[in-house]
C-alpha cells in the first residue's frame, strides 16, 4: 500500500482537502442507480462503473476516494431485498476505493450515513443505528480506510451516535462529520446548526461541516456562521444546484418554467454552472474552509473547478476549459471565424 500523508497530518499542517462526493447522484445520472430509493447495488451489479467513477473524480483533483457505500447499509438493502449482499457490497466498494486511492496517491475514506431507522421519538432506534454504523465501520477498517466520513445527518443525536461509533469501533481513525442542510438552519431537534457542529467538534470530530441539500448560494451564509462558532477544520460540500433564499435546498427547488418541484427526477434543470462553482470555491477558500467538495450533482468537470481554485494539479487539469484555441472564440479570430461566430451566436437580426 502506498504511503500518503494522513488526514490529521494534512489538516495539522494547514493543508486543504478536496473530497468528491455525489457518487450516487452521478451514477443515477448515468443510468445505474434507481432515482427514488437511490440504493447502491450497482457496486455488485456493475463494479467497473463505480471504479471508473472513483478514478474520474481522483483524476479531476479529489484528494480522497470515498467508498461508495452511501445507502449501502442494512436498512436500505433490506428495503430492496438484498440484505444478504450487505457485507459483500460494502467490502467490494471499499476494496475498489482502496485500489484507486493507492494508484493515485489519494486517501481512502469509509462512509456511513443517515440510517433511515433513526427516529427522534423512539430512543430505541439509537441502538439500531449504532449497530448499523458498527458493522460498516468494521468493514471499512478491514478494508484499510484512512478515515471515516459520516454524512447527511438531519438529527444531531444520530450524528453524535455515528461519531461515538467511529470512536468506539474505528480503531482511532479520524472522523469527518457533516450535517445535511435543507430548508431550516437547525437540526431535526431544533438545535442551530453552528451549535450542533460545535458540539460534534467538542466531542472529538476531526472535521465538522455541512453537506448535501443546499446549493452554494444558500449554504454559504450558514457556513459563515459555522466558521464563527467552530474552532477546528470546517467542511463544505454543497449540491451544485441553484438554490435561492425562497427555495433553499434542492428539495424545495422548482422548475423555473412551470413552478413544479423538481426533486428527484428533474433537479438538473437547476444545475449550477462552472462559474457558479468556481465562485463558490473562491468564497469558501476565503472563508477558510479547509475541507471542500461537492455532493449530489457533482461531476468530474465541476469537481475540477473546485480543485483548481484550491490549487490542486490533477491528471485532468490539462482538459480544463480554455477558449484560447477556439477558431471562433479566441482573440484574433480570423474573418471566417468571426463570421461563423456571428452565424452561430445569432449576432445579427437576420441572415445574411
Ligand atoms: Zn448529496
Amino acid at each position: 500500500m502506498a504511503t500518503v500523508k494522513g488526514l490529521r497530518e494534512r489538516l495539522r499542517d494547514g493543508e486543504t482537502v478536496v473530497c468528491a462526493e455525489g457518487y450516487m447522484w452521478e451514477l443515477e445520472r448515468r443510468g445505474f442507480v434507481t432515482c427514488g430509493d437511490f440504493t447502491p447495488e450497482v457496486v455488485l451489479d456493475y463494479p467497473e462503473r463505480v471504479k471508473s467513477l472513483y478514478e474520474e473524480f481522483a483524476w479531476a483533483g479529489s484528494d480522497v476516494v470515498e467508498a461508495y457505500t452511501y445507502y449501502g447499509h442494512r436498512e436500505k438493502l433490506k428495503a430492496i431485498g438484498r440484505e444478504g449482499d450487505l457485507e459483500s457490497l460494502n467490502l467490494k466498494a471499499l476494496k475498489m476505493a482502496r485500489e484507486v486511492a493507492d494508484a493515485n496517491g489519494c486517501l481512502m475514506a469509509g462512509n456511513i450515513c443517515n440510517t433511515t431507522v433513526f427516529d427522534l421519538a423512539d430512543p430505541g432506534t439509537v441502538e439500531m443505528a449504532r449497530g448499523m454504523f458498527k458493522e460498516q465501520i468494521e468493514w471499512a477498517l478491514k478494508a484499510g480506510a484512512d478515515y471515516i466520513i459520516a454524512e447527511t445527518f438531519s438529527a444531531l443525536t444520530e450524528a453524535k451516535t455515528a461519531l461515538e461509533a467511529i470512536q468506539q469501533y474505528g480503531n482511532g481513525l479520524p472522523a469527518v462529520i457533516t450535517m445535511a442542510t435543507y430548508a431550516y438552519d437547525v437540526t431535526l431537534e431544533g438545535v442551530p446548526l453552528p451549535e450542533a457542529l460545535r458540539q460534534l467538534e467538542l466531542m472529538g470530530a476531526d472535521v465538522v461541516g455541512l453537506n448535501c441539500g443546499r446549493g452554494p448560494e444558500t449554504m454559504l451564509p450558514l457556513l459563515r456562521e459555522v466558521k464563527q462558532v467552530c474552532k477546528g477544520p470546517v467542511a463544505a460540500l454543497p449540491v451544485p444546484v441553484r438554490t435561492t433564499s425562497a427555495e433553499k435546498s434542492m428539495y424545495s427547488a422548482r422548475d423555473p418554467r412551470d413552478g413544479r418541484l423538481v426533486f428527484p427526477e428533474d433537479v438538473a434543470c437547476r444545475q449550477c454552472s462552472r462559474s457558479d462553482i468556481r465562485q463558490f470555491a473562491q468564497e469558501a477558500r476565503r472563508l477558510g474552509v479547509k475541507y471542500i467538495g461537492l455532493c449530489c450533482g457533482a461531476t468530474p468537470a465541476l469537481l475540477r473547478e473546485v480543485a483548481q481554485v484550491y490549487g490542486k494539479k490533477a491528471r485532468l487539469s490539462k482538459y480544463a476549459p480554455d477558449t484560447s484555441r477556439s477558431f471562433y472564440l479566441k482573440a484574433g479570430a480570423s474573418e471566417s471565424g468571426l463570421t461563423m461566430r456571428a452565424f452561430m451566436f445569432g449576432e445579427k437580426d437576420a441572415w445574411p
Side-chain angles (χ1 to χ4, degrees), residues 21-22 24-25 70 151-152 211-213 237-239 250-251 294-297:
E21 290 187 350
M24 173 192 92
W25 203 260
Y70 189 84
E151 58 165 309
T152 60
N211 86 318
C212 211
L237 303 99
V239 295
M250 66 173 168
Y251 297 89
L294 297 170
C295 201
C296 306

Side-chain angles (χ1 to χ4, degrees), residues 15-225:
E15 295 172 25
T16 56
V17 177
V18 172
C19 180
E21 290 187 350
Y23 288 94
M24 173 192 92
W25 203 260
E26 178 60 8
L27 285 160
E28 189 282 326
R29 194 182 67 83
R30 295 178 182 196
F32 290 89
V33 167
T34 305
C35 183
D37 58 19
F38 291 109
T39 44
E41 56 268 40
V42 60
V43 168
L44 291 177
D45 295 349
Y46 299 98
E48 69 284 1
R49 305 288 163 178
V50 175
K51 192 169 183 181
S52 79
L53 186 55
Y54 286 158
E55 287 173 336
E56 290 172 40
F57 277 129
W59 293 353
S62 184
D63 293 311
V64 184
V65 180
E66 179 179 8
Y68 175 40
T69 58
Y70 189 84
Y71 280 169
H73 56 52
R74 185 169 291 280
E75 190 64 18
K76 273 282 190 176
L77 293 191
K78 197 196 294 177
I80 58 162
R82 291 189 69 164
E83 200 179 357
D85 291 332
L86 179 66
E87 181 171 0
S88 56
L89 184 147
N90 275 268
L91 290 175
K92 181 73 181 168
L94 285 154
K95 181 172 182 281
M96 292 191 294
R98 183 74 266 173
E99 287 166 3
V100 174
D102 287 344
N104 292 282
C106 295
L107 294 162
M108 190 277 266
N111 163 269
I112 56 177
C113 68
N114 54 311
T115 58
T116 72
V117 297
F118 177 77
D119 179 358
L120 267 188
D122 180 358
T125 58
V126 170
E127 291 318 308
M128 289 170 71
R130 194 187 308 278
M132 288 167 60
F133 295 143
K134 176 179 185 287
E135 60 191 2
Q136 283 193 292
I137 292 163
E138 287 173 346
W139 290 322
L141 203 57
K142 190 171 164 186
D146 297 304
Y147 71 99
I148 306 287
I149 295 168
E151 58 165 309
T152 60
F153 298 107
S154 300
L156 177 57
T157 314
E158 192 178 27
K160 284 183 171 176
T161 306
L163 175 56
E164 285 167 1
I166 296 168
Q167 291 169 334
Q168 197 172 351
Y169 309 113
N171 195 29
L173 286 185
V176 173
I177 315 284
T178 52
M179 304 281 299
T181 42
Y182 304 107
Y184 312 104
D185 288 359
V186 296
T187 69
L188 212 51
E189 295 92 340
V191 179
L193 277 161
E195 187 189 321
L197 295 178
R198 177 64 181 150
Q199 288 183 30
L200 290 162
E201 183 175 63
L202 287 169
M203 278 177 67
D206 294 88
V207 179
V208 297
L210 307 171
N211 86 318
C212 211
R214 289 190 189 182
E217 196 169 319
T218 49
M219 185 181 278
L220 275 168
L222 184 55
L223 206 53
R224 287 188 193 98
E225 291 178 38

